[in-house]
Amino acid sequence: MFISLTAAFAQRFAFVDSDYILKHMPEYASAQRQLETLSAQWQKEVDQRYQEIDRLYKAYQADEVLMTADMKKRREAEIADKERSAKDFQNQKFGPNGELTQRSNSSIKPIQEKMEKAIQAVAEGDNIDMIFDKNSEVMMLYANPRYDKSSDVIIKLGLKPGVFAK
């Protein structure tokens, strides 16, 4: 019983800061820039669509007194269709299953896998049983910096700790 208790306490733990590691990886910085550019481009298009809707609505309000009931219905339907179209476009690009999320997953996932392999190599090389991510959902109230293996992972990736990717 004493031996099993000793073995249980002999487990070695460490942690990494995945955000810190990713900031060192040039491919991550490049992927982030591409996603930000794409996001800004799509946001500009969404804004233009809503500006057009606003322009149509103001024109409708200005002309409303001169319109027949049939003309009003047609213009209201046109504005409603444009609003629906703009919301659909926004959801298609920025929604939970939107194109931005899909592109983010496809471009970031290989980078995260590369980082995970480096973490695994550091853990195996240092005989560490568990490595936690400082930035994950796991609550870490205190972590002694001597157990931080982030720099070791960065070195394993062939990068230099403290030199962030541009």
Side-chain angles (χ1 to χ4, degrees), residues 46 50 84-101:
V46 167
Y50 279 107
R84 236 183 333 277
S85 173
K87 286 178 184 176
D88 289 346
F89 178 80
Q90 188 173 20
N91 194 42
Q92 174 190 4
K93 299 299 182 188
F94 297 105
N97 295 321
E99 201 171 330
L100 187 64
T101 302

Side-chain angles (χ1 to χ4, degrees), residues 12-34:
R12 295 188 50 188
F13 300 94
F15 71 93
V16 295
D17 183 342
S18 61
D19 287 343
Y20 177 74
I21 295 168
L22 289 171
K23 286 179 185 174
H24 283 79
M25 300 176 75
E27 59 265 44
Y28 180 75
S30 174
Q32 286 296 100
R33 277 193 305 276
Q34 289 173 356

Side-chain angles (χ1 to χ4, degrees), residues 34 68 87 112 114 139 145:
Q34 289 173 356
T68 65
K87 286 178 184 176
Q112 289 174 325
K114 182 178 177 182
M139 184 73 99

Side-chain angles (χ1 to χ4, degrees), residues 123-146:
E124 289 171 356
D126 292 352
N127 291 321
I128 297 171
D129 296 310
M130 285 186 224
I131 293 186
F132 297 98
D133 185 357
K134 185 177 175 182
N135 296 309
S136 72
E137 296 295 318
V138 175
M139 184 73 99
M140 191 177 296
L141 298 175
Y142 172 77
N144 189 324
R146 77 176 184 204

Side-chain angles (χ1 to χ4, degrees), residues 18-85:
S18 61
D19 287 343
Y20 177 74
I21 295 168
L22 289 171
K23 286 179 185 174
H24 283 79
M25 300 176 75
E27 59 265 44
Y28 180 75
S30 174
Q32 286 296 100
R33 277 193 305 276
Q34 289 173 356
L35 290 170
E36 287 169 8
T37 300
L38 197 57
S39 175
Q41 183 180 8
W42 286 336
Q43 186 59 50
K44 184 178 178 183
E45 195 170 335
V46 167
D47 292 344
Q48 288 172 344
R49 289 176 182 226
Y50 279 107
Q51 286 172 356
E52 171 68 11
I53 292 166
D54 189 48
R55 187 190 62 73
L56 287 172
Y57 185 69
K58 286 179 180 174
Y60 168 78
Q61 285 179 320
D63 298 341
E64 187 175 14
V65 270
L66 305 172
M67 290 187 217
T68 65
D70 188 43
M71 290 170 73
K72 285 182 186 181
K73 284 181 185 178
R74 273 196 314 246
R75 294 274 293 271
E76 288 169 359
E78 177 188 2
I79 293 169
D81 286 345
K82 292 234 182 225
E83 277 185 277
R84 236 183 333 277
S85 173

